[in-house]
Amino acid sequence: MNKYEETGEEIEAKVKLGDFCKECDLQILLGNSDDGITFKSVLVNRPGLLFAGFDDYFGSSRVQVVGNAEYYYLASLQDEAKKEAVARLYEKRIPCVIYTRGILPSQMEMDFAKKNKIPVLSSQMTTTWLMHEVGNYLDNLLAPTEMVHGSLLDINGVGVLLTGSSGLGKSETAIELINRGHRIIADDAVVVKRVRNELVGKAPEKIKDFIEVRGLGIIDVRSMYGVGAVLESEYINLVIHLDKITSLEEYDRLGSMDNACEILGVSLPQINVPVLAGRNVAVIVEVATRNYRLKRLGYNALDELKKRTNLN
């Protein structure tokens, strides 16, 4: 389990070295798979300038990647200069060093790493691709996280977060939407992460694939509907808030009001749907999502109606 600590704007994540290697297709050259490794930055660094002696802006909290350029630069140095260059890297408090393209570090580098307890890893990938893969992993690992009460579904390719008070029928609505061919990511509790200014939702591991329906109990969606009815995660594009009311009079009939919902500092469009006895909420949610997609494509039914009727 990842452990998140937030201090100011800095978020740390501690994972097992073996788990990190498995996710990024890395091999361990020095270190144990059960050892903990702490990440503090989503950025990945190549230590070429540090090897050359310039360390004024060196990011010691970043994963360090040694590729062909760094390898051949070190190989061009005399023994004493190489020793100084390697020492400048391994004496920093860095999380780990990754050698790309199957490059193997020299015994001198391994000795410095062992002395300073720095994990040394290897990859067969090119340097550019490895940095991309590790960067994506760290983006997700270090993303700010919030638990949101609601249900998250994929409706016609749109990530829809259903919110509202308990007892309004969010889970029942989700079941009907699944019956209509849509897919569910999470019910009741959604783990939301902000990744590169976008929100990604997933289910807490312990309740993944399960829905609680009042009167029926716990439903296993994957077992009942098949793997095609569930998704591991989804970007959140739209919030549909279910609102229990006694009359529709207070609601805007033309849908001209723009609402927004902010989660983790990201603003999302929100549609408020009134819940009344006899209304098919699942159909309304589906139609609202289709209408959202049309607006994203540039078509607005209200604007079209105004044009036809010369309304201002």
Short mmCIF file of all heavy atoms in Angstrom, two decimals, residues 8 35 44 54 57 70 72 107 114 127 146 182 206 260 266 285 298 302 306 310:
data_model
loop_
_atom_site.label_atom_id
_atom_site.label_comp_id
_atom_site.label_asym_id
_atom_site.label_seq_id
_atom_site.Cartn_x
_atom_site.Cartn_y
_atom_site.Cartn_z
N GLY A 8 2.80 20.98 3.16
CA GLY A 8 2.69 22.12 2.29
C GLY A 8 2.18 21.67 0.95
O GLY A 8 1.12 21.10 0.83
N ASP A 35 12.81 -3.53 -0.12
CA ASP A 35 13.26 -2.24 0.42
C ASP A 35 12.27 -1.15 0.04
O ASP A 35 11.68 -1.16 -1.04
CB ASP A 35 14.64 -1.87 -0.14
CG ASP A 35 15.75 -2.75 0.43
OD1 ASP A 35 15.48 -3.45 1.43
OD2 ASP A 35 16.85 -2.73 -0.15
N VAL A 44 12.07 13.61 -13.75
CA VAL A 44 13.16 12.63 -13.92
C VAL A 44 14.36 13.37 -14.48
O VAL A 44 14.22 14.20 -15.38
CB VAL A 44 12.72 11.50 -14.87
CG1 VAL A 44 13.83 10.46 -15.01
CG2 VAL A 44 11.44 10.84 -14.36
N PHE A 54 28.85 20.85 -12.69
CA PHE A 54 27.88 21.91 -12.44
C PHE A 54 26.71 21.35 -11.66
O PHE A 54 25.91 20.58 -12.19
CB PHE A 54 27.40 22.51 -13.77
CG PHE A 54 26.48 23.69 -13.60
CD1 PHE A 54 26.97 24.94 -13.32
CD2 PHE A 54 25.10 23.53 -13.72
CE1 PHE A 54 26.13 26.03 -13.16
CE2 PHE A 54 24.24 24.61 -13.56
CZ PHE A 54 24.76 25.87 -13.28
N TYR A 57 21.93 23.69 -9.74
CA TYR A 57 20.48 23.48 -9.82
C TYR A 57 20.12 21.99 -9.88
O TYR A 57 19.10 21.62 -10.45
CB TYR A 57 19.92 24.20 -11.06
CG TYR A 57 20.16 25.69 -11.03
CD1 TYR A 57 21.25 26.25 -11.70
CD2 TYR A 57 19.32 26.53 -10.30
CE1 TYR A 57 21.48 27.61 -11.67
CE2 TYR A 57 19.55 27.90 -10.27
CZ TYR A 57 20.62 28.44 -10.96
OH TYR A 57 20.85 29.79 -10.91
N GLU A 70 25.67 10.01 -20.92
CA GLU A 70 26.35 10.01 -19.63
C GLU A 70 27.39 8.89 -19.54
O GLU A 70 28.49 9.09 -19.02
CB GLU A 70 25.33 9.87 -18.49
CG GLU A 70 24.38 11.04 -18.32
CD GLU A 70 23.24 11.02 -19.33
OE1 GLU A 70 23.03 9.97 -19.98
OE2 GLU A 70 22.57 12.05 -19.47
N TYR A 72 29.10 7.40 -22.02
CA TYR A 72 30.31 7.64 -22.82
C TYR A 72 31.10 8.84 -22.29
O TYR A 72 32.32 8.90 -22.45
CB TYR A 72 29.93 7.85 -24.29
CG TYR A 72 29.59 6.53 -24.97
CD1 TYR A 72 28.30 6.26 -25.40
CD2 TYR A 72 30.57 5.56 -25.16
CE1 TYR A 72 27.98 5.05 -25.99
CE2 TYR A 72 30.27 4.34 -25.76
CZ TYR A 72 28.97 4.10 -26.17
OH TYR A 72 28.67 2.89 -26.76
N GLN A 107 32.29 -1.11 -11.67
CA GLN A 107 32.43 -1.53 -10.27
C GLN A 107 32.57 -0.32 -9.36
O GLN A 107 32.07 -0.31 -8.22
CB GLN A 107 33.64 -2.45 -10.12
CG GLN A 107 33.76 -3.08 -8.74
CD GLN A 107 32.55 -3.91 -8.36
OE1 GLN A 107 32.10 -4.76 -9.12
NE2 GLN A 107 32.00 -3.66 -7.17
N LYS A 114 26.63 1.32 -3.25
CA LYS A 114 26.50 0.46 -2.07
C LYS A 114 26.88 1.22 -0.80
O LYS A 114 26.19 1.10 0.24
CB LYS A 114 27.39 -0.77 -2.24
CG LYS A 114 27.22 -1.80 -1.13
CD LYS A 114 28.03 -3.04 -1.43
CE LYS A 114 27.82 -4.11 -0.34
NZ LYS A 114 28.61 -5.34 -0.64
N THR A 127 16.59 5.76 -23.45
CA THR A 127 16.52 6.74 -22.37
C THR A 127 15.25 7.58 -22.44
O THR A 127 14.58 7.79 -21.42
CB THR A 127 17.76 7.66 -22.42
OG1 THR A 127 18.94 6.85 -22.44
CG2 THR A 127 17.80 8.58 -21.21
N GLU A 146 -8.13 12.71 -3.31
CA GLU A 146 -9.28 13.02 -2.46
C GLU A 146 -10.33 11.92 -2.61
O GLU A 146 -10.52 11.40 -3.72
CB GLU A 146 -9.87 14.37 -2.84
CG GLU A 146 -11.05 14.81 -1.98
CD GLU A 146 -11.54 16.20 -2.35
OE1 GLU A 146 -10.69 17.07 -2.63
OE2 GLU A 146 -12.77 16.41 -2.39
N HIS A 182 -23.58 0.65 -20.29
CA HIS A 182 -22.50 1.52 -19.85
C HIS A 182 -21.65 0.81 -18.79
O HIS A 182 -22.02 -0.26 -18.31
CB HIS A 182 -23.08 2.83 -19.31
CG HIS A 182 -23.98 3.52 -20.30
ND1 HIS A 182 -23.53 4.01 -21.50
CD2 HIS A 182 -25.33 3.76 -20.27
CE1 HIS A 182 -24.55 4.55 -22.18
NE2 HIS A 182 -25.65 4.40 -21.44
N LYS A 206 -10.57 -2.29 -1.88
CA LYS A 206 -11.37 -3.26 -1.12
C LYS A 206 -12.81 -3.37 -1.62
O LYS A 206 -13.46 -4.41 -1.42
CB LYS A 206 -11.36 -2.91 0.36
CG LYS A 206 -10.00 -3.12 1.02
CD LYS A 206 -10.07 -2.84 2.51
CE LYS A 206 -8.71 -3.08 3.17
NZ LYS A 206 -8.74 -2.80 4.63
N ALA A 260 -20.88 24.57 -11.87
CA ALA A 260 -19.54 23.99 -11.83
C ALA A 260 -19.30 23.36 -10.46
O ALA A 260 -19.91 23.73 -9.46
CB ALA A 260 -18.48 25.06 -12.10
N VAL A 266 -9.62 21.63 -9.50
CA VAL A 266 -10.01 21.54 -10.91
C VAL A 266 -11.52 21.75 -11.01
O VAL A 266 -12.30 21.10 -10.32
CB VAL A 266 -9.64 20.17 -11.52
CG1 VAL A 266 -10.10 20.06 -12.97
CG2 VAL A 266 -8.13 19.96 -11.43
N VAL A 285 -29.96 10.87 -16.86
CA VAL A 285 -28.49 10.96 -16.77
C VAL A 285 -27.87 10.66 -18.13
O VAL A 285 -26.94 11.34 -18.58
CB VAL A 285 -27.96 10.00 -15.70
CG1 VAL A 285 -26.44 9.85 -15.81
CG2 VAL A 285 -28.34 10.48 -14.31
N GLY A 298 -19.86 21.64 -30.07
CA GLY A 298 -20.24 22.96 -30.60
C GLY A 298 -21.72 23.16 -30.86
O GLY A 298 -22.11 24.23 -31.34
N LEU A 302 -30.37 24.96 -27.00
CA LEU A 302 -31.02 26.21 -26.60
C LEU A 302 -30.70 27.32 -27.59
O LEU A 302 -31.59 28.09 -27.99
CB LEU A 302 -30.58 26.59 -25.19
CG LEU A 302 -31.17 27.90 -24.64
CD1 LEU A 302 -32.68 27.85 -24.62
CD2 LEU A 302 -30.60 28.19 -23.25
N LYS A 306 -33.37 29.36 -29.96
CA LYS A 306 -33.45 30.83 -30.01
C LYS A 306 -33.38 31.34 -31.44
O LYS A 306 -34.07 32.29 -31.82
CB LYS A 306 -32.33 31.44 -29.16
CG LYS A 306 -32.52 31.29 -27.65
CD LYS A 306 -31.36 31.92 -26.89
CE LYS A 306 -31.58 31.83 -25.39
NZ LYS A 306 -30.46 32.41 -24.62
N ASN A 310 -36.36 33.34 -32.89
CA ASN A 310 -35.94 34.73 -32.76
C ASN A 310 -35.99 35.24 -31.33
O ASN A 310 -36.36 36.38 -31.05
CB ASN A 310 -36.82 35.65 -33.64
CG ASN A 310 -36.62 35.36 -35.11
OD1 ASN A 310 -35.50 35.16 -35.56
ND2 ASN A 310 -37.71 35.35 -35.86
#
